[in-house]
Amino acid sequence: MAPIRDKFTIHSKAVVCQDVDLKGDITIGPNTVVHPKATIFAIAGPIIIGAGCIIEEAAVVVNRRKEVMRVGDGNVFEIGCRVESPSIGNYNTVSTRARVHHTVRISNHCVIGAACLVVPTEDEILDDFAAIYATSDSAASGSNVISSMAVERRTWSGRGKVQEADLRTKHVEYLREMLPKFNRLRRGDSV
Amino acid sequence: MDAPVYYSKAEFIETDTGNKVSRRATIAGPQNIILGGKTIISSGAIIRGDLRRTGPGHAVVISLGRYCLIGEGCVMRPPYKTYRGNFNYYPMKIGDHVHIGANSVIEAATIGNHVIIGKNCVIGKFTIIKDCAQIADNTVVPPNTVIPALAMFSGSPGCFIEDLPESTQEMVEAQTKQYYTRFQPLDR
């Protein structure tokens, strides 16, 4: 395999901290915030991240496939999550320490609950408003691996969607103002 | 007493009040973080003091009490919400004798004294943990949960499992103090 060539295109309105691990061909859209200690790896194909996304600390975004990994607008990847999906729509939430495998495509307004593992063996598309969450028996067994079997799903009615989107834009606004005061930022193609 | 836990002297910075902070920990906005003394911050921990409340003046973001332990790879960040239409982060307060296991993610609003949190836990936003509570390994506590005093929580979502004995306070106090004395530098 050809060596990974680094090419970072970071929009001038994006906030990407210095302490972020980037590898490969990465495009980051306007108003997107990448917290320190996050990791974005474009191993095989490029990664294109849309506008207004938040990628929190210790989150890992990986593209293992040859094709372009597209992440839409207004997504939140919370602390320590790992996302390998080849396509992600708009306004999705991947909660703290969740893992999404490369076999899953995420549509819009999906929520992956905290510490859930989404690893179907066959390709799957999560419909709009899908919510995945862990149930009590999964972790009560005391296992450190929460299996995908014990994870349940249901469809979100979409109630409070406007409020959620509003919170998100305000959050991005806040971070865009606050993060540069305490962290060094990274610019495109300067590494 | 149990065998000492050694650390390399070069890795940790010791302050006048006995706090031991790893150089490999990521501490953002240190001017907004208060450590009570004799607190240990292990390597790989991420503490976000930069997510402060907007407004004039000095804002404390994270305050930790005495004899606390932040395990390896822990993430501590203050919780956020919108209140009356304004988005803000809110301070996080942690009491004395609190041990937090490795790789846990803490977004609690308040944690009382003598609390023990296990490994790989996720503590949701605005959780309030009262004194002497304990949280088992791999627990996922949903946002806005209130964990009462002397309760043991476990599972995903975290649920009440059992009451803890009244001697918990003394036990945890002794345990945290002993851990601090066991945590010794190794010259080399």
Side-chain angles (χ1 to χ4, degrees):
Chain A
M1 205 176 89
I4 306 165
R5 188 174 294 170
D6 288 349
K7 179 172 168 274
F8 311 135
T9 317
I10 300 172
H11 193 276
S12 59
K13 276 189 166 177
V15 175
V16 180
C17 293
Q18 189 80 81
D19 204 0
V20 170
D21 217 353
L22 302 176
K23 246 187 213 137
D25 186 350
I26 296 161
T27 309
I28 295 175
N31 292 327
T32 287
V33 177
V34 186
H35 283 262
K37 292 279 166 194
T39 310
I40 305 174
F41 275 179
I43 298 174
I47 295 179
I48 298 177
I49 297 172
C53 293
I54 300 173
I55 299 174
E56 292 185 350
E57 53 267 44
V60 185
V61 181
V62 185
N63 186 9
R64 290 182 192 281
R65 297 195 174 190
K66 280 261 156 52
E67 63 202 90
V68 183
M69 173 178 179
R70 277 180 203 282
V71 178
D73 302 341
N75 296 296
V76 180
F77 300 137
E78 290 186 351
I79 306 164
C81 70
R82 190 184 176 98
V83 182
E84 300 182 3
S85 316
S87 95
I88 296 171
N90 304 325
Y91 300 104
N92 299 293
T93 308
V94 181
S95 304
T96 310
R97 293 258 297 282
R99 273 192 67 177
V100 185
H101 214 221
H102 65 85
T103 45
V104 189
R105 284 167 195 273
I106 301 178
S107 311
N108 304 309
H109 297 280
C110 293
V111 180
I112 316 285
C116 287
L117 199 62
V118 189
V119 284
T121 44
E122 284 167 27
D123 278 18
E124 196 183 328
I125 299 172
L126 282 185
D127 294 331
D128 287 5
F129 297 105
I132 291 184
Y133 58 98
T135 47
S136 54
D137 47 305
S138 58
S141 55
S143 64
N144 47 11
V145 183
I146 297 170
S147 70
S148 55
M149 301 287 286
V151 162
E152 284 186 22
R153 69 171 67 188
R154 63 180 169 205
T155 309
W156 176 28
S157 62
R159 242 180 102 188
K161 156 180 108 176
V162 183
Q163 283 86 339
E164 180 67 28
D166 195 38
L167 171 75
R168 220 159 272 192
T169 44
K170 281 179 181 163
H171 193 178
V172 170
E173 252 168 53
Y174 169 92
L175 291 173
R176 266 172 35 82
E177 186 193 334
M178 230 36 175
L179 277 189
K181 288 187 188 167
F182 291 94
N183 299 283
R184 288 194 195 176
L185 301 188
R186 195 190 258 245
R187 294 275 148 242
D189 276 334
S190 60
V191 182
Chain B
M1 199 171 102
D2 293 334
V5 180
Y6 288 115
Y7 64 90
S8 85
K9 206 172 181 182
E11 199 200 315
F12 280 80
I13 303 166
E14 194 174 343
T15 65
D16 297 344
T17 46
N19 295 311
K20 295 181 180 184
V21 181
S22 169
R23 289 177 198 273
R24 274 183 261 176
T26 308
I27 295 169
Q31 64 267 49
N32 301 332
I33 298 169
I34 295 177
L35 301 180
K38 304 202 174 182
T39 282
I40 303 166
I41 295 173
S42 313
S43 67
I46 303 175
I47 302 182
R48 298 299 301 270
D50 55 337
L51 304 171
R52 64 182 283 250
R53 208 170 164 163
T54 44
H58 189 71
V60 176
V61 176
I62 294 174
S63 73
L64 283 156
R66 307 178 74 222
Y67 292 104
C68 290
L69 169 72
I70 309 295
E72 280 151 33
C74 272
V75 181
M76 315 271 295
R77 62 139 59 193
Y80 64 81
K81 67 175 175 186
T82 52
Y83 176 65
R84 294 188 176 171
N86 296 319
F87 180 90
N88 236 329
Y89 274 87
Y90 289 85
M92 178 195 256
K93 208 174 165 225
I94 293 174
D96 302 340
H97 305 281
V98 174
H99 269 205
I100 296 169
N103 299 315
S104 288
V105 178
I106 315 290
E107 290 186 280
T110 313
I111 296 179
N113 303 318
H114 308 96
V115 171
I116 292 185
I117 296 173
K119 296 174 197 147
N120 300 315
C121 290
V122 177
I123 310 293
K125 293 178 188 72
F126 291 103
T127 298
I128 296 170
I129 303 178
K130 300 283 188 184
D131 294 355
C132 307
Q134 295 197 359
I135 293 167
D137 293 355
N138 309 311
T139 302
V140 178
V141 178
N144 305 311
T145 309
V146 178
I147 296 180
L150 291 165
M152 175 76 164
F153 265 57
S154 166
S156 170
C159 295
F160 175 82
I161 297 295
E162 58 175 359
D163 274 320
L164 292 165
E166 283 176 24
S167 59
T168 307
Q169 181 178 342
E170 284 84 15
M171 306 264 286
V172 173
E173 193 163 325
Q175 190 194 327
T176 51
K177 280 186 172 163
Q178 201 194 56
Y179 188 87
Y180 183 79
T181 43
R182 277 166 62 202
F183 197 72
Q184 289 297 326
L186 195 64
D187 288 309
R188 236 181 323 118

